[in-house]
């Protein structure tokens, strides 16, 4: 078993990753500055797995702190989740996105080179594809992000491609996520957005639990069967299992590799509302409003490359995604740090 560094490990996807790694018997070291998370997620990870992990409250841009971590542990691989992810905020505060996402990744890679650690999995996003006309999206599609967040992801991909080209020791996996949703089946960890959620499923779930009066559906005049936008929602547990497969793949395959992580199936906003109502037994009030700028009508993955090369395929459907989100939301109606949390 190996010792793995998880940057951003206290966050939504990172905390689910820690559960999977600990359950597989790995030692886990988490680095997170808690800018968008709570250390309570890591306590929950330890409760779920009955194992302990090593947590360092550190910023990924802090070279000295990184050096200490690399000197303390015999790290085999790094899973790099740390970064900022809100599209709207990236438009109003681009410098902060370039700093956290691009500079943060550069500092991390420098520390890895210095320590002689060359296995890296990077959280990229389907947002690097921009707004393709054709579906499903394969990895060979042209990239062209349409917002600063997406640009930072593509810049990091390009930087890592150049770095991998400079030394054959590197083994790097770029994973382009579609729409991660869901929560761990225990209801102990899940997505905990700060403020008003930007994404559909956390918003639906906060309406169902009574925190918000209604959902705004961003238009029903798209060229789709019910007029609402279609996306490829993927259960976060399936997603982190894709990372386990990517780690195995890197052991056999040096160089840099890119894979889509999606289910290959798209669902509309109205289908997601209905699935959530069925899972929660609550009604989700909604109003149809204007389109959100920058939204594509349809986006879904071709996950065939991941299936062929990683031996990975998503297993959970939207019913299970919604049930798990609802369990988490009813357990922590106001998120981890709110006064009414257990
Ligand atoms: P998250 O915000 O829940 O987790 C990110 C974690 O990184 C947080 O715990 C935050 O505190 C930490 N962090 C941020 N900046 C940091 C810094 N400078 N130093 C140290 N820690 C820092 O987000 P998530 O949904 O778990 O996303 C994880 C990764 O996956 C991100 O890189 C995100 O861009 C990428 N991604 C997410 C989605 C999605 O829809 N959730 C989709 C595609 C890609
Ligand atoms: C958004 C980001 C994308 C990012 C992804 C992460 C934008 C423009 N895009 O994508 O860059 O990688 O999150 O998961 O922000 N919807 C509503 N009402 C809402 C929220 C969403 O109707 O309150 C609709 C949207 O129009 C879309 C679907 O629900 O059709 C999914 O939206 P969302 O969860 O925000 O994901 P993306 O738009 O795919």
């Amino acid at each position: 078993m190996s010792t793995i560094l998880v940057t951003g490990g206290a966050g939504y996807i990172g905390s689910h990753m820690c559960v999977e790694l600990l359950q597989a018997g790995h030692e886990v070291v988490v680095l997170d500055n808690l800018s968008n998370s709570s250390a309570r997620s890591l306590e929950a990870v330890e409760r779920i797995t009955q194992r302990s992990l090593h947590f360092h409250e550190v910023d990924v841009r802090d070279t000295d702190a990184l050096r200490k971590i690399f000197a303390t542990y015999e790290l085999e691989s790094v899973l790099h989740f740390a970064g900022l992810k809100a599209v709207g905020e990236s438009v109003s505060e681009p410098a902060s996105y370039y700093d956290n996402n691009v500079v943060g990744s550069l500092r991390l890679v420098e520390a890895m080179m210095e320590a002689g650690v060359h296995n890296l999995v990077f959280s990229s996003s389907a947002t690097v594809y921009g707004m393709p006309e054709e579906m499903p999206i394969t990895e060979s599609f042209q990239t062209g992000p349409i917002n600063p967040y997406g640009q930072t992801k593509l810049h990091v991909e390009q930087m890592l491609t150049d770095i991998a080209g400079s030394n054959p020791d590197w083994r790097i996996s770029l994973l382009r996520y579609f729409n991660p949703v869901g929560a761990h089946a225990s209801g102990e960890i899940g997505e905990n957005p700060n403020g008003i959620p930007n994404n559909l499923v956390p918003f639906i779930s906060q309406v169902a639990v009574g925190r918000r009066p209604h959902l705004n559906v961003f238009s029903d005049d798209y060229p789709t069967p019910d007029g609402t936008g279609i996306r490829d929602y993927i259960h976060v547990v399936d997603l982190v299992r894709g990372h386990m497969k990517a780690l195995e793949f890197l052991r056999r395959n040096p160089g840099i590799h890119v894979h889509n992580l999606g289910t290959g199936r798209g669902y509309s906003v109205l289908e997601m509302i209905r699935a959530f109502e069925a899972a929660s037994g609550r009604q989700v009030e909604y109003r149809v409003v204007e389109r959100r700028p920058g939204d594509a009508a349809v986006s879904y993955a071709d996950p065939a490359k991941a299936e062929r090369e990683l031996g990975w395929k998503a297993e959970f459907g939207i019913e299970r995604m919604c049930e798990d989100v609802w369990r988490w939301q009813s357990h922590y109606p106001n998120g981890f740090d709110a006064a009414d949390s257990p």
Side-chain angles (χ1 to χ4, degrees):
M1 288 302 132
S2 329
T3 306
I4 316 264
L5 175 64
V6 184
T7 77
Y12 169 45
I13 303 170
S15 58
H16 289 82
M17 189 74 245
C18 292
V19 168
E20 206 64 26
L21 289 166
L22 289 166
Q23 285 178 337
H26 296 293
E27 288 296 313
V28 173
V29 181
V30 169
L31 164 174
D32 200 304
N33 67 359
L34 303 182
S35 60
N36 195 37
S37 54
S38 160
R40 286 184 65 179
S41 65
L42 297 173
E43 292 164 19
V45 166
E46 294 188 329
R47 274 200 307 280
I48 294 167
T49 59
Q50 295 290 302
R51 292 201 49 206
S52 48
L53 51 74
H54 309 272
F55 173 50
H56 298 265
E57 188 175 338
V58 154
D59 193 295
V60 74
R61 294 163 292 181
D62 181 344
T63 297
D64 289 340
L66 285 183
R67 275 204 188 110
K68 276 190 201 130
I69 290 175
F70 279 93
T72 306
Y73 305 96
E74 218 23 64
L75 295 169
E76 187 230 26
S77 304
V78 178
L79 299 173
H80 180 35
F81 297 94
L84 304 181
K85 63 166 183 176
V87 172
E89 191 182 63
S90 79
V91 176
S92 54
E93 298 169 32
S96 171
Y97 275 69
Y98 281 90
D99 195 18
N100 277 274
N101 296 0
V102 181
V103 176
S105 299
L106 176 60
R107 295 283 107 84
L108 177 68
V109 165
E110 286 167 347
M112 291 178 71
M113 288 196 276
E114 207 176 288
V117 178
H118 291 103
N119 303 330
L120 174 66
V121 179
F122 173 62
S123 298
S124 189
S125 169
T127 196
V128 298
Y129 296 114
M131 301 245 255
E133 303 268 297
E134 307 259 298
M135 289 294 141
I137 299 173
T138 69
E139 292 81 353
S140 58
F141 273 33
Q142 222 177 343
T143 50
I146 58 161
N147 54 60
Y149 166 68
Q151 291 287 4
T152 65
K153 290 289 169 188
L154 188 58
H155 280 303
V156 175
E157 286 199 3
Q158 289 166 339
M159 175 179 85
L160 293 176
T161 304
D162 290 339
I163 283 169
S166 72
N167 177 345
D169 289 345
W170 280 102
R171 291 162 192 260
I172 300 179
S173 166
L174 309 174
L175 298 179
R176 293 177 176 162
Y177 311 161
F178 279 68
N179 290 58
V181 300
H184 188 261
S186 63
E188 288 287 328
I189 50 174
E191 190 169 6
N192 192 19
N194 276 334
I196 302 171
N198 297 307
N199 299 117
L200 179 68
V201 171
F203 207 110
I204 291 181
S205 159
Q206 292 195 4
V207 173
V209 84
R211 273 177 74 180
R212 304 195 183 273
H214 67 269
L215 168 78
N216 286 324
V217 173
F218 297 139
S219 175
D220 61 359
D221 67 355
Y222 284 105
T224 61
D226 66 21
T228 66
I230 290 181
R231 294 290 182 277
D232 186 340
Y233 298 95
I234 173 167
H235 197 298
V236 63
V237 172
D238 273 330
L239 186 82
V240 299
R241 288 181 182 159
H243 293 62
M244 300 297 282
K245 294 290 189 182
L247 281 176
E248 284 169 29
F249 178 80
L250 290 183
R251 287 188 192 110
R252 305 187 300 273
N253 296 281
I256 185 157
H257 312 273
V258 58
H259 293 99
N260 284 340
L261 293 185
T263 67
R265 244 211 94 163
Y267 289 93
S268 75
V269 174
L270 296 184
E271 285 175 310
M272 292 308 284
I273 293 174
R274 273 182 231 113
F276 206 89
E277 288 182 332
S280 64
R282 302 275 181 101
Q283 203 180 332
V284 175
E285 297 289 343
Y286 68 87
R287 287 177 198 165
V288 178
V289 300
E290 294 287 284
R291 290 184 179 192
R292 179 172 64 179
D295 269 359
V298 181
S299 165
Y300 58 93
D302 180 342
K305 188 177 181 222
E307 185 171 358
R308 199 172 59 244
E309 294 188 350
L310 307 181
W312 170 89
K313 198 171 185 289
E315 286 174 13
F316 300 120
I318 55 167
E319 297 76 17
R320 176 66 186 272
M321 298 178 205
C322 294
E323 282 164 21
D324 288 339
V325 171
W326 181 242
R327 196 173 300 109
W328 149 255
Q329 185 75 73
S330 5
H331 202 168
Y332 293 94
N334 291 311
F336 272 129
D337 287 327
D340 65 346
S341 299

